[in-house]
Amino acid sequence: MNNRKLRGGMIGGGIGAFIGPVHRMAAIMDGEAEFVAGCFSSNPEKSRKSGEALYLDPTRVYSDWKEMILAESAQPAESRLDFISIVTPTASHYAIAKMVLEAGFNIICDKPMTLTLKEAKSLRDMVKKSGKIFALTHNYTGYPMVKEARVMVSEEKLGKINKIVVEYPQGWLASLLTGKAADLGIWRMDPKQAGASCCIADIGIHAENLARYITGLEVDSLCADLLGFIPGNKLDDDGSVLLRYKGGAKGILYASQISTGEENGLNIRVYGSKAGICWNQENPNYLFYTPLNGPTQKLSRGNSYNSQIAKDFTRIPFGHPEGFIEAFANLYLEAFKAIRALAGKKKVKVDVPTVEDGIMGLRFIETVLKSHKSSKKWTKLLS
Amino acid sequence: MNNRKLRGGMIGGGIGAFIGPVHRMAAIMDGEAEFVAGCFSSNPEKSRKSGEALYLDPTRVYSDWKEMILAESAQPAESRLDFISIVTPTASHYAIAKMVLEAGFNIICDKPMTLTLKEAKSLRDMVKKSGKIFALTHNYTGYPMVKEARVMVSEEKLGKINKIVVEYPQGWLASLLTGKAADLGIWRMDPKQAGASCCIADIGIHAENLARYITGLEVDSLCADLLGFIPGNKLDDDGSVLLRYKGGAKGILYASQISTGEENGLNIRVYGSKAGICWNQENPNYLFYTPLNGPTQKLSRGNSYNSQIAKDFTRIPFGHPEGFIEAFANLYLEAFKAIRALAGKKKVKVDVPTVEDGIMGLRFIETVLKSHKSSKKWTKLLS
Amino acid sequence: MNNRKLRGGMIGGGIGAFIGPVHRMAAIMDGEAEFVAGCFSSNPEKSRKSGEALYLDPTRVYSDWKEMILAESAQPAESRLDFISIVTPTASHYAIAKMVLEAGFNIICDKPMTLTLKEAKSLRDMVKKSGKIFALTHNYTGYPMVKEARVMVSEEKLGKINKIVVEYPQGWLASLLTGKAADLGIWRMDPKQAGASCCIADIGIHAENLARYITGLEVDSLCADLLGFIPGNKLDDDGSVLLRYKGGAKGILYASQISTGEENGLNIRVYGSKAGICWNQENPNYLFYTPLNGPTQKLSRGNSYNSQIAKDFTRIPFGHPEGFIEAFANLYLEAFKAIRALAGKKKVKVDVPTVEDGIMGLRFIETVLKSHKSSKKWTKLLS
Amino acid sequence: MNNRKLRGGMIGGGIGAFIGPVHRMAAIMDGEAEFVAGCFSSNPEKSRKSGEALYLDPTRVYSDWKEMILAESAQPAESRLDFISIVTPTASHYAIAKMVLEAGFNIICDKPMTLTLKEAKSLRDMVKKSGKIFALTHNYTGYPMVKEARVMVSEEKLGKINKIVVEYPQGWLASLLTGKAADLGIWRMDPKQAGASCCIADIGIHAENLARYITGLEVDSLCADLLGFIPGNKLDDDGSVLLRYKGGAKGILYASQISTGEENGLNIRVYGSKAGICWNQENPNYLFYTPLNGPTQKLSRGNSYNSQIAKDFTRIPFGHPEGFIEAFANLYLEAFKAIRALAGKKKVKVDVPTVEDGIMGLRFIETVLKSHKSSKKWTKLLS
């Protein structure tokens, strides 16, 4: 396997999808893998056309994911898939992942991992049992300057962390505020496909994950106020959450899909006794660091003063901006490293979200929902 | 009075103070007033030196505010004060204001207005009875682009407001996080001088006031989580508050004095069904406005496209930045207009915070404290 | 004089003017001076109304500056002016300054100092002979972070300076690009009032002055390309200049009044062997400093890490923005210090532009014009 | 060819190179091509290792580019290369391109195209004769918001263009300012490999190209002042150029490799009679547009209000930043479209720099050098 590109399959992500193409670009851009099979849609014509656009062998393009897993399981070693990327709406993740694991493939899975915490725990058991690689695309942790922030916290450059403010404002659903949402077929607003939450499950968990990745702190309890502002929306499209972290830090998490004018404004500020830091996804090559009583420093990706970890995940020199796809690709690179190591029966330490992060995501979602439903009371993080 | 500058007195604000000098510069910079008397400190030497630095007649410089009010009451019409600025620590506001009103002077008072809501209501009655002008320096509403924001909301350019995020992070107390605060003599951390709150009373109410000034929305209920992170601090130095506004909007208010690296970061974002806006005090000449599905517009002070109100509070052309003092001076200008109108027995509509804003500030402070103390529960705004 | 405010007179700056009111606010905001006399316009009604708006004694309001100087010369010591501010169009500066000096008053004069280099040199001789204070309002040098930049250069934090890029783009005349300028009565475009240059004389010299103030470097030779893009404009409204500084540094100076969309974008970048710095007038409380191979630091006014000089010119804490008027006022404060010292026969070192800076401004203007007219050739700085 | 990925070869770009890996990522990330052969270095071991890291068939990895072209020419149709990317130092471009064209392959070539204008013209003749695709990687024109700017100019949203300020400051060579450059083996400073210019040839031509791409304006004459500030540098590492464009616009071009603290700060401002625009490569997803007398608009990639052309070159939604590699990849996509069309004997209009842009680059370089050497005189653009 070490003298060839890895072979990937994809379930979901047909023409017109957002995240499927991102997975494909991220997986192949570094020359480490290529996609050779896929079930891009349950609509045969759409799946066929998607496969064609990817120059795939038509015999390895499917419109039924079960059929795909069966057929691909029968491929000989020299053409057998090394991993399958799952990029369908959330509702099907669990069933697909289960069958993929049983067939013995490694998985790269989009978030949220499953519909429920119960499913998440069950999936964890399956992953453990399978011994396979399971990577979850909490992609924002792939940005080099997010990794830099994590290093700075771990090296105690911030001192004791007191306050975390993490926000994920979007406005892409705001045009529905004065219209009818029910008709629009946005799967994230459909409980059958998205589960019990729209906004928190889609982006709130990215915010929680980002804060935890950088600070290492785990939520102790929270108080959540959600709302579906969009007429006809059965789920939340906006949420405000107060947080208390284990160890005493306080937090605010704000996620929204109806914050008119916002694009994809994930950002985080962490305040410690010795310094504060600030990072914003829309201008991701920079991390702002202000030591106590000193000037703010604009730490820039690609510089000699960066940590080794940030350097390891950097492709091009300072001033040449890397973006969303490169950060996403960093997750794939780590997953590939793990997959190659597993095949070679070697141990390797990789920096990629796992099934445990998926469980934490569902714990967060369900705790937020529980708090909200119980009169927005303070609620302990579900275990 | 209309052919001369107004004559002002000041109580508090001696050498080394922060807000006293700001009041002085704000009051005189437009050539509408001059200070001619003052009790700058209860320390006679300090007050004398302060008066000297201001080139005051030594006979009108005092070290006992009661004495000052008595003496100034006795001045003849041609040298009698037109207003007195109260810039002492909060605890003395009520008693000073009471005596000043009884002596028949107009008042410009720093915030918070009083120590308690009870005092605030009592002061309101006194102001009403006196018929005098009482202006409260919620100075951030003096910025032209804040006024522009208010106009835009009132003209429904934002549509229905759904979400308000208002923040006031400071870090100036962060250096105490690892030390002993009790020894430092910072009056805002002393319950005797500052009352039951440090952070919320000092800056949290600015944030509440700013949001209310721009949107016209009043808090319905709130859930607050406060903390004094500084060792030995008996009061709050950080607070996170979830808000529900009357009419259905949701809000987040974050105020902090220990957010390391922050300077004076008051900022607000308001999201409506038709547009979102964003303003930041540290770069105050600009208001960012994003209509639904359109590009963000950087509205800049001093332009022909500004509203008349923003223009009325503008001194110099676009690109020539106005700052904190000019905004503060806008409040004084409005107070002076009211004072001159009162003297001339004319009616005039002015845009300056009043005793009612002072009451709202205390209602907010006491509701936040009540929520926090009752296990951080959701709490109706105290009436 | 030390136990009272200074008394000022003003020539020019009537209602509707831009720079006159700025001088007034700048002069009085710190409580060091007051205006008590003025000739605000040659139109008696306009001058009268201007004086009235300033609450001046009508007997000290004039519409003929010669008359004013004569009358004010006759005032007794207890009401005699300490300084006169000259804020008329350039053409009259020389004659006014001459008579003011002869009458024995100190001068604060707007830039450019005179119409021609010849006048400038003659004025220098008169100033010298008079022994009076002559301050020239190259106001941008009043910003604390500009002073910080100067300190950094002088302390060799930048190493050897190699490159200076200084720009002053404005767009306020761009609306004339498609119209007729001749009709508009803008005095800066009228050779009789503004002299041989519009753009370079109005703002180009600010750029030259700023670069020289910060770096201490003097232009050796230059190559200028000017244009009046506005139909009917007899003078330049845009200019590009390449510079060679004594000592080997290279420079670019760009000044424009037709750069559509620009407001008052004076900015400078200085690149040395050890660091680069960058400052922008529209956000003037910050200086960006990037040491070789290190992150960019955002130096912010009002911090403990600022130089003593920057601190000395700072009124309010970090995060509370100071603006254009405060910077202007810093020049007046220095001029006042010099005036008080002169009266007290003391020596004092002040940081305020002098008649020498005025001469340098005219040397620059005339060299630029000479280069431009001689086929835009490289031209030695006129002596 | 339309049912498979294109097959590419690469000459240059071995391990440790900067631009080679960029070409590889850009070429493969969209799934349109893969590299199957390469001569990555004249050092056999280095080339072998580079090929191995790319999982290439070792028989198609070479250390002599002539040998590679010969061997690859002999490949049968089913494995024959569709294009060869040339990413060597400039000096060898001409000879390599000549032989590649003669062997009948399409070319993607890095800039500057050749060492001299003479070579450039000769290469143009060869390209024409060959009928092959020749794409030149002036990659900055691949950014969607640069294309948006070009559309806006062509739709006359800026009116008549009066002024262009284009800058390309870098500081990566500044650490050599106090050292010895000659020893460092930086090929761009070696006349044998880089030709007669370092800074202008490397980055100055990007600035010229960007300005021309956006505005369509061609330089008429220029005045250039170059310098090699680095001790021992025989070539320029900094240049300032005044420009006059055909049609009357004026320009400033500034390119530098010793502007300490700058990273890769290519930026452009274009001022017209109706609007001004501004774009900065380090934050490339935004284009700032200020119509006359209106607020600045921050046009953001991925929005419904973008032009169709900007949309066509966009992969992911607004707020998800695309970067340098994606922009580079846009050039490859266009080149691939042309290559597929050529193979299918179809006509297609593509937006990719050609051999003509290469000639213009060399005309610019040689004119700048001519001006500089002739006492920095104004010089007509060489034809």
Side-chain angles (χ1 to χ4, degrees), chain B residues 261-288:
Chain B
E262 299 285 352
E263 299 198 333
N264 195 44
L266 176 65
N267 71 86
I268 186 166
R269 288 165 280 170
V270 181
Y271 301 107
S273 56
K274 289 160 62 178
I277 56 173
C278 172
W279 179 80
N280 189 323
Q281 192 273 150
E282 295 190 358
N283 203 2
N285 292 276
Y286 307 100
L287 173 67
F288 294 86

mmCIF file of all heavy atoms in Angstrom, chain B residues 261-288:
data_model
loop_
_atom_site.group_PDB
_atom_site.id
_atom_site.type_symbol
_atom_site.label_atom_id
_atom_site.label_comp_id
_atom_site.label_asym_id
_atom_site.label_seq_id
_atom_site.Cartn_x
_atom_site.Cartn_y
_atom_site.Cartn_z
ATOM 1 N N GLY B 261 -6.064 40.965 27.281
ATOM 2 C CA GLY B 261 -5.732 41.412 25.939
ATOM 3 C C GLY B 261 -6.773 42.334 25.345
ATOM 4 O O GLY B 261 -6.501 43.043 24.388
ATOM 5 N N GLU B 262 -7.969 42.333 25.908
ATOM 6 C CA GLU B 262 -8.992 43.254 25.428
ATOM 7 C C GLU B 262 -8.734 44.629 26.028
ATOM 8 O O GLU B 262 -8.252 44.751 27.150
ATOM 9 C CB GLU B 262 -10.393 42.765 25.824
ATOM 10 C CG GLU B 262 -10.758 41.417 25.245
ATOM 11 C CD GLU B 262 -11.108 41.462 23.765
ATOM 12 O OE1 GLU B 262 -11.211 42.574 23.198
ATOM 13 O OE2 GLU B 262 -11.263 40.378 23.169
ATOM 14 N N GLU B 263 -9.090 45.641 25.279
ATOM 15 C CA GLU B 263 -8.892 46.998 25.786
ATOM 16 C C GLU B 263 -10.237 47.591 26.221
ATOM 17 O O GLU B 263 -10.590 47.558 27.399
ATOM 18 C CB GLU B 263 -8.190 47.842 24.720
ATOM 19 C CG GLU B 263 -6.810 47.239 24.390
ATOM 20 C CD GLU B 263 -5.869 48.195 23.699
ATOM 21 O OE1 GLU B 263 -6.320 49.111 23.012
ATOM 22 O OE2 GLU B 263 -4.636 48.008 23.869
ATOM 23 N N ASN B 264 -10.988 48.084 25.296
ATOM 24 C CA ASN B 264 -12.297 48.639 25.660
ATOM 25 C C ASN B 264 -13.291 48.258 24.573
ATOM 26 O O ASN B 264 -13.889 49.093 23.914
ATOM 27 C CB ASN B 264 -12.200 50.168 25.811
ATOM 28 C CG ASN B 264 -13.393 50.740 26.534
ATOM 29 O OD1 ASN B 264 -13.842 50.192 27.541
ATOM 30 N ND2 ASN B 264 -13.947 51.824 26.023
ATOM 31 N N GLY B 265 -13.443 46.929 24.428
ATOM 32 C CA GLY B 265 -14.036 46.346 23.232
ATOM 33 C C GLY B 265 -15.544 46.309 23.155
ATOM 34 O O GLY B 265 -16.095 45.333 22.635
ATOM 35 N N LEU B 266 -16.203 47.317 23.634
ATOM 36 C CA LEU B 266 -17.658 47.369 23.485
ATOM 37 C C LEU B 266 -18.033 47.211 22.011
ATOM 38 O O LEU B 266 -17.535 47.942 21.163
ATOM 39 C CB LEU B 266 -18.182 48.716 24.009
ATOM 40 C CG LEU B 266 -19.679 48.972 23.826
ATOM 41 C CD1 LEU B 266 -20.522 48.002 24.637
ATOM 42 C CD2 LEU B 266 -20.027 50.421 24.214
ATOM 43 N N ASN B 267 -18.909 46.251 21.728
ATOM 44 C CA ASN B 267 -19.371 46.077 20.351
ATOM 45 C C ASN B 267 -20.746 45.462 20.337
ATOM 46 O O ASN B 267 -21.160 44.812 21.293
ATOM 47 C CB ASN B 267 -18.388 45.217 19.554
ATOM 48 C CG ASN B 267 -18.420 43.765 19.973
ATOM 49 O OD1 ASN B 267 -19.230 42.972 19.483
ATOM 50 N ND2 ASN B 267 -17.548 43.388 20.903
ATOM 51 N N ILE B 268 -21.443 45.676 19.259
ATOM 52 C CA ILE B 268 -22.803 45.145 19.168
ATOM 53 C C ILE B 268 -23.093 44.674 17.756
ATOM 54 O O ILE B 268 -22.633 45.263 16.784
ATOM 55 C CB ILE B 268 -23.844 46.214 19.594
ATOM 56 C CG1 ILE B 268 -25.248 45.601 19.624
ATOM 57 C CG2 ILE B 268 -23.790 47.441 18.697
ATOM 58 C CD1 ILE B 268 -26.271 46.457 20.328
ATOM 59 N N ARG B 269 -23.812 43.557 17.709
ATOM 60 C CA ARG B 269 -24.333 43.059 16.437
ATOM 61 C C ARG B 269 -25.838 42.880 16.594
ATOM 62 O O ARG B 269 -26.288 42.316 17.591
ATOM 63 C CB ARG B 269 -23.686 41.709 16.096
ATOM 64 C CG ARG B 269 -22.222 41.844 15.690
ATOM 65 C CD ARG B 269 -21.509 40.511 15.711
ATOM 66 N NE ARG B 269 -21.124 40.138 17.074
ATOM 67 C CZ ARG B 269 -20.662 38.936 17.433
ATOM 68 N NH1 ARG B 269 -20.552 37.973 16.530
ATOM 69 N NH2 ARG B 269 -20.333 38.681 18.685
ATOM 70 N N VAL B 270 -26.574 43.354 15.632
ATOM 71 C CA VAL B 270 -28.029 43.215 15.658
ATOM 72 C C VAL B 270 -28.461 42.554 14.361
ATOM 73 O O VAL B 270 -28.080 43.013 13.272
ATOM 74 C CB VAL B 270 -28.720 44.592 15.796
ATOM 75 C CG1 VAL B 270 -30.235 44.421 15.856
ATOM 76 C CG2 VAL B 270 -28.209 45.340 17.020
ATOM 77 N N TYR B 271 -29.199 41.475 14.487
ATOM 78 C CA TYR B 271 -29.611 40.714 13.308
ATOM 79 C C TYR B 271 -31.124 40.786 13.138
ATOM 80 O O TYR B 271 -31.871 40.381 14.036
ATOM 81 C CB TYR B 271 -29.192 39.259 13.449
ATOM 82 C CG TYR B 271 -27.698 39.078 13.625
ATOM 83 C CD1 TYR B 271 -27.162 38.716 14.856
ATOM 84 C CD2 TYR B 271 -26.828 39.289 12.559
ATOM 85 C CE1 TYR B 271 -25.784 38.554 15.019
ATOM 86 C CE2 TYR B 271 -25.455 39.129 12.719
ATOM 87 C CZ TYR B 271 -24.944 38.753 13.947
ATOM 88 O OH TYR B 271 -23.597 38.598 14.098
ATOM 89 N N GLY B 272 -31.563 41.302 12.020
ATOM 90 C CA GLY B 272 -32.981 41.371 11.741
ATOM 91 C C GLY B 272 -33.346 40.523 10.540
ATOM 92 O O GLY B 272 -32.495 39.873 9.940
ATOM 93 N N SER B 273 -34.611 40.529 10.205
ATOM 94 C CA SER B 273 -35.070 39.707 9.090
ATOM 95 C C SER B 273 -34.630 40.288 7.749
ATOM 96 O O SER B 273 -34.587 39.571 6.753
ATOM 97 C CB SER B 273 -36.590 39.584 9.129
ATOM 98 O OG SER B 273 -37.175 40.883 9.120
ATOM 99 N N LYS B 274 -34.274 41.556 7.735
ATOM 100 C CA LYS B 274 -33.899 42.184 6.462
ATOM 101 C C LYS B 274 -32.431 42.565 6.382
ATOM 102 O O LYS B 274 -31.915 42.802 5.278
ATOM 103 C CB LYS B 274 -34.763 43.429 6.228
ATOM 104 C CG LYS B 274 -36.208 43.094 5.892
ATOM 105 C CD LYS B 274 -37.176 44.244 6.118
ATOM 106 C CE LYS B 274 -36.913 45.451 5.270
ATOM 107 N NZ LYS B 274 -37.933 46.516 5.523
ATOM 108 N N ALA B 275 -31.774 42.654 7.505
ATOM 109 C CA ALA B 275 -30.365 43.061 7.493
ATOM 110 C C ALA B 275 -29.742 42.833 8.858
ATOM 111 O O ALA B 275 -30.448 42.631 9.860
ATOM 112 C CB ALA B 275 -30.231 44.539 7.123
ATOM 113 N N GLY B 276 -28.438 42.842 8.875
ATOM 114 C CA GLY B 276 -27.681 42.803 10.120
ATOM 115 C C GLY B 276 -26.766 44.012 10.186
ATOM 116 O O GLY B 276 -26.315 44.516 9.152
ATOM 117 N N ILE B 277 -26.489 44.483 11.401
ATOM 118 C CA ILE B 277 -25.528 45.579 11.558
ATOM 119 C C ILE B 277 -24.516 45.235 12.640
ATOM 120 O O ILE B 277 -24.773 44.386 13.503
ATOM 121 C CB ILE B 277 -26.190 46.935 11.911
ATOM 122 C CG1 ILE B 277 -27.054 46.814 13.172
ATOM 123 C CG2 ILE B 277 -27.001 47.459 10.739
ATOM 124 C CD1 ILE B 277 -27.593 48.140 13.660
ATOM 125 N N CYS B 278 -23.409 45.909 12.604
ATOM 126 C CA CYS B 278 -22.316 45.644 13.529
ATOM 127 C C CYS B 278 -21.561 46.932 13.781
ATOM 128 O O CYS B 278 -21.247 47.667 12.841
ATOM 129 C CB CYS B 278 -21.407 44.593 12.877
ATOM 130 S SG CYS B 278 -19.899 44.296 13.756
ATOM 131 N N TRP B 279 -21.285 47.205 15.047
ATOM 132 C CA TRP B 279 -20.531 48.417 15.413
ATOM 133 C C TRP B 279 -19.551 48.077 16.522
ATOM 134 O O TRP B 279 -19.847 47.285 17.407
ATOM 135 C CB TRP B 279 -21.489 49.530 15.870
ATOM 136 C CG TRP B 279 -20.786 50.793 16.278
ATOM 137 C CD1 TRP B 279 -20.302 51.774 15.446
ATOM 138 C CD2 TRP B 279 -20.468 51.221 17.617
ATOM 139 N NE1 TRP B 279 -19.715 52.765 16.188
ATOM 140 C CE2 TRP B 279 -19.797 52.464 17.519
ATOM 141 C CE3 TRP B 279 -20.680 50.673 18.886
ATOM 142 C CZ2 TRP B 279 -19.339 53.161 18.633
ATOM 143 C CZ3 TRP B 279 -20.219 51.358 20.000
ATOM 144 C CH2 TRP B 279 -19.573 52.595 19.867
ATOM 145 N N ASN B 280 -18.378 48.698 16.462
ATOM 146 C CA ASN B 280 -17.331 48.416 17.433
ATOM 147 C C ASN B 280 -16.757 49.726 17.949
ATOM 148 O O ASN B 280 -16.262 50.541 17.168
ATOM 149 C CB ASN B 280 -16.226 47.580 16.771
ATOM 150 C CG ASN B 280 -15.235 47.082 17.781
ATOM 151 O OD1 ASN B 280 -14.894 47.777 18.741
ATOM 152 N ND2 ASN B 280 -14.761 45.868 17.599
ATOM 153 N N GLN B 281 -16.787 49.913 19.242
ATOM 154 C CA GLN B 281 -16.362 51.163 19.851
ATOM 155 C C GLN B 281 -14.907 51.515 19.587
ATOM 156 O O GLN B 281 -14.550 52.693 19.582
ATOM 157 C CB GLN B 281 -16.606 51.089 21.367
ATOM 158 C CG GLN B 281 -16.497 52.377 22.110
ATOM 159 C CD GLN B 281 -15.105 52.772 22.587
ATOM 160 O OE1 GLN B 281 -14.817 53.938 22.682
ATOM 161 N NE2 GLN B 281 -14.225 51.808 22.861
ATOM 162 N N GLU B 282 -14.076 50.529 19.382
ATOM 163 C CA GLU B 282 -12.655 50.835 19.208
ATOM 164 C C GLU B 282 -12.341 51.384 17.813
ATOM 165 O O GLU B 282 -11.238 51.861 17.572
ATOM 166 C CB GLU B 282 -11.799 49.607 19.537
ATOM 167 C CG GLU B 282 -11.929 49.256 21.021
ATOM 168 C CD GLU B 282 -10.937 48.209 21.512
ATOM 169 O OE1 GLU B 282 -10.146 47.702 20.709
ATOM 170 O OE2 GLU B 282 -10.973 47.893 22.718
ATOM 171 N N ASN B 283 -13.261 51.272 16.910
ATOM 172 C CA ASN B 283 -13.117 51.867 15.574
ATOM 173 C C ASN B 283 -14.458 52.487 15.242
ATOM 174 O O ASN B 283 -15.163 52.048 14.338
ATOM 175 C CB ASN B 283 -12.713 50.786 14.564
ATOM 176 C CG ASN B 283 -12.028 51.374 13.348
ATOM 177 O OD1 ASN B 283 -11.816 52.586 13.266
ATOM 178 N ND2 ASN B 283 -11.699 50.538 12.396
ATOM 179 N N PRO B 284 -14.825 53.558 15.953
ATOM 180 C CA PRO B 284 -16.229 53.947 16.065
ATOM 181 C C PRO B 284 -16.797 54.746 14.911
ATOM 182 O O PRO B 284 -18.000 54.989 14.885
ATOM 183 C CB PRO B 284 -16.226 54.805 17.340
ATOM 184 C CG PRO B 284 -14.876 55.444 17.342
ATOM 185 C CD PRO B 284 -13.951 54.405 16.761
ATOM 186 N N ASN B 285 -15.963 55.133 13.970
ATOM 187 C CA ASN B 285 -16.459 55.961 12.869
ATOM 188 C C ASN B 285 -17.148 55.159 11.783
ATOM 189 O O ASN B 285 -17.568 55.723 10.778
ATOM 190 C CB ASN B 285 -15.303 56.771 12.271
ATOM 191 C CG ASN B 285 -14.786 57.820 13.239
ATOM 192 O OD1 ASN B 285 -15.335 58.910 13.324
ATOM 193 N ND2 ASN B 285 -13.758 57.481 14.025
ATOM 194 N N TYR B 286 -17.265 53.857 11.976
ATOM 195 C CA TYR B 286 -17.832 52.998 10.946
ATOM 196 C C TYR B 286 -18.961 52.135 11.506
ATOM 197 O O TYR B 286 -18.888 51.665 12.641
ATOM 198 C CB TYR B 286 -16.751 52.099 10.340
ATOM 199 C CG TYR B 286 -15.575 52.915 9.863
ATOM 200 C CD1 TYR B 286 -14.417 53.022 10.627
ATOM 201 C CD2 TYR B 286 -15.656 53.652 8.683
ATOM 202 C CE1 TYR B 286 -13.362 53.827 10.224
ATOM 203 C CE2 TYR B 286 -14.593 54.454 8.278
ATOM 204 C CZ TYR B 286 -13.450 54.539 9.052
ATOM 205 O OH TYR B 286 -12.415 55.337 8.660
ATOM 206 N N LEU B 287 -19.971 51.939 10.695
ATOM 207 C CA LEU B 287 -21.066 51.027 11.033
ATOM 208 C C LEU B 287 -21.186 50.057 9.867
ATOM 209 O O LEU B 287 -21.301 50.479 8.715
ATOM 210 C CB LEU B 287 -22.370 51.814 11.202
ATOM 211 C CG LEU B 287 -23.632 50.983 11.403
ATOM 212 C CD1 LEU B 287 -23.604 50.253 12.746
ATOM 213 C CD2 LEU B 287 -24.875 51.874 11.333
ATOM 214 N N PHE B 288 -21.149 48.770 10.166
ATOM 215 C CA PHE B 288 -21.208 47.776 9.108
ATOM 216 C C PHE B 288 -22.648 47.272 8.967
ATOM 217 O O PHE B 288 -23.272 46.873 9.950
ATOM 218 C CB PHE B 288 -20.233 46.636 9.404
ATOM 219 C CG PHE B 288 -18.811 47.098 9.351
ATOM 220 C CD1 PHE B 288 -18.195 47.654 10.476
ATOM 221 C CD2 PHE B 288 -18.102 47.059 8.169
ATOM 222 C CE1 PHE B 288 -16.897 48.125 10.423
ATOM 223 C CE2 PHE B 288 -16.787 47.525 8.105
ATOM 224 C CZ PHE B 288 -16.187 48.056 9.235
#
